[in-house]
Amino acid sequence: MESARTDLMSRARAGDGEAFRALTEPHRRELQVHCYRMLGSFQDAEDALQDTMLAAWRGLDRFDGRAALRTWLYRIATNRCLDALRSARRRPAQQWDSPGFEPPEPNGFGEIHWLEPYPDALLDGAINVPLGPEARYEQAESISLAFVTALQILPPRQLAVLILRDVLGFHANEVAEMLDTTVESVKSALKRARAGLDRRLPMTRDQPPTRDSPAEDAIVAKFVSAYEAADIDALVALLTDDAFMSMPPIPLEYHGRDSVARFCAFVFATAQRFELVPTRANAQPALGVYRHTPTGIHGAGLFVLTLTDDRIAAITRFESTVLPTFGLPQSLPSAR
């Protein structure tokens, strides 16, 4: 096995693209997830991954083998993401743009409006990676929307250190080398990052139902039934008291069951009928949302549901432009 890797490395350094792909492909998906955690945007993560692979290809002669190839690739990816964060190339917030339909007054405005969902179909082989012994989070938990959103509040260097140490479990000395800093600096940044993350995440981590379990399926089915029937009472019965709704890149937020219910009642008043198509995002149940109109059944967005016990704690709505990323069409056949 080692001799085969050595042969691939020799060929890659000699300019063999197929050998380079054979060396790096096993790490590609986990690197994309790493970039997503750092940037909070699926598209930005894809761009950072491409930059990483290009930099690795061009800099392969500088890989001295002292660290594992995987660690070296994480170093490149992390620094590419830090460059992107520092350049402040962030998508601006969008305004509500449905003429004639003014939503109810929100009771909050989101700080992180560039957040995008991550398709579960791309998580296979990406969140079952071997972790270091000091990792503190389950991989599914660390890809959840709540976790990724909280990460985006952290300063870039703290963000990188926390992901490398607490999510992936790299040793402090490995992280220091990746970031060209000292172990003491890594420890200090990690302490501040943990404090910042704890302020943003819920104090208790209620366990959602097991993925694809009957309990999860039942909650999602009830939500679909209530939403497609525009049944506000049934919808409200599924929400926790402190339910939360957000809709990046529009910064409007609705906190509390009554506030979320008012927004949903407003949406139901704008169309006669909706259809929801199941998918998954960020290791959470998700639904493509389609609106019946005189010209057909058109995509209206994507819901990602955050479940806790037997209730829905949060609904995150994304624009319909994300539907193709999940293999969902922009329109449904009329005969459904």
Side-chain angles (χ1 to χ4, degrees):
M1 180 68 73
E2 188 59 38
S3 61
R5 279 197 294 266
T6 301
D7 177 60
L8 282 173
M9 182 62 70
S10 297
R11 287 163 48 199
R13 282 176 167 153
D16 186 334
E18 288 300 319
F20 176 77
R21 279 187 285 276
L23 283 169
T24 57
E25 192 62 28
H27 309 295
R28 188 179 185 90
R29 283 199 173 179
E30 63 172 297
L31 288 168
Q32 185 180 40
V33 171
H34 176 60
C35 293
Y36 173 73
R37 287 190 181 106
M38 288 205 57
L39 300 173
S41 161
F42 179 81
Q43 186 56 59
D44 290 350
E46 182 61 25
D47 291 345
L49 176 63
Q50 297 304 324
D51 288 347
T52 296
M53 290 304 177
L54 181 58
W57 169 249
R58 289 175 173 173
L60 201 56
D61 284 342
R62 294 192 295 275
F63 174 60
D64 58 16
R66 287 188 300 115
L69 177 66
R70 176 176 179 261
T71 302
W72 183 68
L73 291 171
Y74 266 102
R75 173 178 182 154
I76 297 172
T78 300
N79 283 285
R80 287 296 179 276
C81 289
L82 287 172
D83 289 343
L85 290 169
R86 293 187 187 109
S87 68
R89 292 176 299 177
R90 291 322 221 161
R91 296 173 178 83
Q94 292 184 13
Q95 300 303 311
W96 184 266
D97 60 355
S98 297
F101 297 102
E102 281 299 317
E105 189 69 22
N107 47 11
F109 293 93
E111 298 174 70
I112 308 302
H113 48 259
W114 60 81
L115 188 72
E116 292 176 347
Y118 195 97
D120 272 25
L122 299 182
L123 290 177
D124 291 341
I127 61 171
N128 327 333
V129 297
L131 303 178
E134 298 177 61
R136 298 179 62 180
Y137 295 98
E138 296 290 337
Q139 290 288 282
E141 177 187 6
S142 65
I143 198 67
S144 69
L145 281 179
F147 191 89
V148 172
T149 302
L151 287 176
Q152 303 311 303
I153 304 296
L154 299 176
R157 183 59 66 104
Q158 292 181 29
L159 165 65
V161 168
L162 187 134
I163 293 173
L164 292 170
R165 291 281 285 124
D166 284 355
V167 174
L168 295 167
F170 284 108
H171 294 294
N173 60 331
E174 292 177 299
V175 176
E177 186 169 346
M178 288 181 188
L179 300 178
D180 291 320
T181 188
T182 64
V183 170
E184 290 71 22
S185 178
V186 166
K187 290 179 178 178
S188 176
L190 181 60
K191 181 178 180 180
R192 295 195 302 274
R194 285 173 175 171
L197 195 66
D198 287 345
R199 287 193 295 270
R200 304 297 305 195
L201 287 174
M203 294 298 292
T204 58
R205 298 179 194 165
D206 294 327
Q207 290 299 311
T210 303
R211 174 177 175 166
D212 294 327
S213 66
E216 182 186 82
D217 292 345
I219 301 171
V220 174
K222 288 177 183 177
F223 179 84
V224 170
S225 177
Y227 203 91
E228 291 186 340
D231 187 338
I232 284 292
D233 290 339
L235 190 63
V236 169
L238 295 172
L239 303 177
T240 60
D241 290 341
D242 58 351
F244 170 73
M245 186 169 194
S246 59
M247 51 196 70
I250 299 170
L252 307 183
E253 292 183 345
Y254 295 87
H255 299 259
R257 177 188 286 169
D258 292 342
S259 184
V260 173
R262 281 195 300 273
F263 180 81
C264 290
F266 154 75
V267 171
F268 294 154
T270 68
Q272 291 185 336
R273 187 180 169 198
F274 290 91
E275 290 190 35
L276 304 185
V277 177
T279 183
R280 294 194 67 88
N282 296 78
Q284 301 171 228
L287 299 154
V289 183
Y290 294 84
R291 185 196 307 266
H292 281 245
T293 75
T295 61
I297 308 171
H298 301 302
L302 181 90
F303 286 155
V304 181
L305 306 182
T306 299
L307 309 183
T308 176
D309 296 328
D310 60 348
R311 292 288 184 270
I312 297 171
I315 303 170
T316 309
R317 173 196 176 275
F318 296 97
E319 299 287 285
S320 62
T321 51
V322 308
L323 293 173
T325 305
F326 289 80
L328 296 174
Q330 289 287 7
S331 298
L332 296 178
S334 295
R336 281 177 63 91

